[in-house]
Amino acid sequence: MVKKQVILAKVGSFGSAENVQTITLETLQQIEKNFKGNVPITLDLQGHPQKEVLNYPKFGEVSNIWIENDVLYGLLDLQPVLANAIDNGFYNSWSIGAKLNTENEYYLHHLALLGEMPPAIKEVRETILKELEIPQNELNLSDFENDIVFIFSK
């Protein structure tokens, strides 16, 4: 799997006068609190994933999310073929799907990759939905699939 860090959403009001979307810090905090991991990454078909299509291949998942300075970040685990498609410009933006749970709080339902379809919130193409560099000098235990034994010496 290829890892990519992205900005998923941020606090503010976006969109046109006819379609204003407001994201509050409380919304982001609910999404973070209700995150259970392994949220699917889908390819967007005509605006959003269609309920009738239930057999998407597994292209990847959002494995972690966190908030810093009113911004919701996500760590994506992508199949190499999809990471390559993103790197080559086939998917240049994405959109999150946040839904309400039974407690009437938001949770991250999916991340939809957008190709020729622009995001509903036009401003985010340049400001929110961008890939972040993952520092190469960091090592996370989640990067390993098998047991790791650390031996400490003087």
Side-chain angles (χ1 to χ4, degrees), residues 59 68 102 117 123 137:
F59 286 109
E68 290 179 26
T102 56
M117 178 69 71
E123 295 93 334
N137 59 350

Side-chain angles (χ1 to χ4, degrees), residues 4-12 14 21-24 27-33 35-42 48 60-78 86 93-98 107-114 119-121 123-132:
K4 290 187 181 288
Q5 289 186 74
V6 296
I7 295 173
L8 298 174
K10 69 177 183 178
V11 172
F14 310 94
Q21 302 290 321
T22 300
I23 299 170
T24 66
T27 304
L28 298 182
Q29 290 169 335
Q30 288 176 7
I31 292 170
E32 181 182 43
K33 179 184 109 180
F35 185 75
K36 306 282 191 263
N38 305 324
V39 171
I41 296 173
T42 65
H48 284 284
E61 58 195 22
V62 180
S63 60
N64 193 18
I65 63 172
W66 64 97
I67 298 171
E68 290 179 26
N69 302 319
D70 294 343
V71 177
L72 180 66
Y73 295 89
L75 179 64
L76 312 183
D77 292 333
L78 301 166
I86 292 170
S93 59
W94 45 88
S95 177
I96 65 168
Y107 70 97
L108 184 61
H109 180 264
H110 67 274
L111 174 73
L113 296 178
L114 307 174
I121 303 172
E123 295 93 334
V124 299
R125 183 179 291 270
E126 297 300 323
T127 59
I128 295 179
L129 306 176
K130 66 176 185 172
E131 182 181 341
L132 304 174

Side-chain angles (χ1 to χ4, degrees), residues 2 4 78-91:
V2 176
K4 290 187 181 288
L78 301 166
Q79 292 290 345
V81 68
L82 183 56
N84 189 39
I86 292 170
D87 291 344
N88 285 298
F90 288 97
Y91 296 97

Side-chain angles (χ1 to χ4, degrees), residues 40-43 45 49-60:
I41 296 173
T42 65
L43 303 182
L45 299 175
Q50 304 297 311
K51 288 183 179 181
E52 298 81 30
V53 182
L54 300 176
N55 272 338
Y56 285 119
K58 183 175 180 179
F59 286 109

